[in-house]
Amino acid sequence: MRFLLRLASLVALAAAVIAGTIDSIQSVAASAVVMTPISDAWQDVSPATLTSLQSSLSYYVHPRFYTFIFQWLMLQPAFAVFLVIALLLWMIGYKKPPVAGRFTA
């Protein structure tokens, strides 16, 4: 299970680097800071899954929670969201070193 969590963390980190690279290229081209929101990036990749997620969340979750949390999350930069996801998955899949140390009898 830890392997899968660390692998998912690696995929999220790769997505964050790709999103950050795209934003930096657009920023240099526009001569201004450009940060793509996660909703725009998701809309470009797979619009059907975004609309299905929005409709299912608005149906199953309380409307105030949906409006406040989901809409706020969709306005955040894509690279930042993927970095947070990568960090959380890595923290869950982290294996703690033994307390006694390496050279114990």
Side-chain angles (χ1 to χ4, degrees):
M1 190 67 188
R2 285 186 179 148
F3 173 74
L4 293 176
L5 287 170
R6 285 183 272 166
L7 182 65
S9 173
L10 178 68
V11 170
L13 183 62
V17 169
I18 291 169
T21 304
I22 290 171
D23 285 350
S24 64
I25 291 170
Q26 290 176 348
S27 295
V28 169
S31 296
V33 178
V34 175
M35 289 190 283
T36 306
I38 190 74
S39 61
D40 292 348
W42 197 342
Q43 184 72 28
D44 291 341
V45 173
S46 179
T49 58
L50 179 62
T51 56
S52 66
L53 178 69
Q54 286 175 340
S55 64
S56 63
L57 279 178
S58 64
Y59 180 75
Y60 289 112
V61 179
H62 194 273
R64 286 188 184 176
F65 179 77
Y66 168 76
T67 304
F68 181 70
I69 299 296
F70 189 73
Q71 296 299 331
W72 177 81
L73 182 68
M74 288 293 125
L75 293 175
Q76 301 308 310
F79 74 92
V81 173
F82 283 123
L83 280 176
V84 169
I85 291 171
L87 177 66
L88 291 175
L89 289 172
W90 179 79
M91 287 171 57
I92 294 169
Y94 181 72
K95 182 178 181 183
K96 296 178 185 174
V99 177
R102 183 174 175 190
F103 301 105
T104 56

